[in-house]
Amino acid sequence: QVQLVESGGGLVQAGGSLRLSCAASGGIFSNYAMGWFRQAPGKEREFVAAISRSGGSTYYANSVKGRFTISRDNAKVYLRMNSLKPEDTAVYYCAARFTALIRVVTTSSSDYNYWGQGTQVTVSS
């Protein structure tokens, strides 16, 4: 059983930056492809970014491409968010998918096995 704990959310002005972190425990982190999702009030959860087990493959939603960067080390996954916009306001969740494939990235929430509790990001205009 993998436990995921997000941190780094907060209130920021439009144009500002935040870095989210997700700490994993209870499993072999390198066995998991990782992803970030977000859910705004009244909206469905949506894909934001994903990274492969190796860290060599990444994928982004069009809405964040060029502004957000996903990365990982041997125990955490990060989401660097620059040029934040009010429409980025949401609860951000990290997720882990157990996979034997080193290079795969996953954009579908249904493919992920474990989820964190989320961290709130609020961008003021």
Side-chain angles (χ1 to χ4, degrees):
Q1 187 80 6
V2 173
Q3 292 82 42
L4 302 172
V5 179
E6 302 97 334
S7 60
L11 173 64
V12 64
Q13 288 188 331
S17 298
L18 284 173
R19 189 180 81 153
L20 305 184
S21 299
C22 174
S25 62
I28 301 174
F29 187 60
S30 59
N31 285 343
Y32 294 84
M34 302 298 295
W36 285 96
F37 291 76
R38 66 187 182 187
Q39 187 167 19
K43 295 187 177 181
E44 294 187 352
R45 189 174 298 186
E46 65 174 359
F47 168 77
V48 175
I51 190 166
S52 62
R53 282 179 52 188
S54 67
S57 298
T58 58
Y59 192 81
Y60 298 91
N62 287 335
S63 59
V64 307
K65 198 173 295 183
R67 300 187 298 123
F68 290 12
T69 303
I70 189 171
S71 61
R72 66 187 295 166
D73 59 24
N74 57 4
K76 290 186 178 180
V77 62
Y78 305 94
L79 186 68
R80 177 68 181 181
M81 306 186 294
N82 295 329
S83 303
L84 282 162
K85 305 175 181 179
E87 51 264 43
D88 294 318
T89 295
V91 177
Y92 283 71
Y93 299 90
C94 74
R97 177 196 178 192
F98 182 83
T99 176
L101 303 175
I102 294 175
R103 298 183 183 87
V104 73
V105 291
T106 304
T107 63
S108 173
S109 60
S110 61
D111 288 335
Y112 285 87
N113 308 109
Y114 302 101
W115 293 83
Q117 82 290 347
T119 185
Q120 176 71 46
V121 171
T122 303
V123 184
S124 63
S125 58

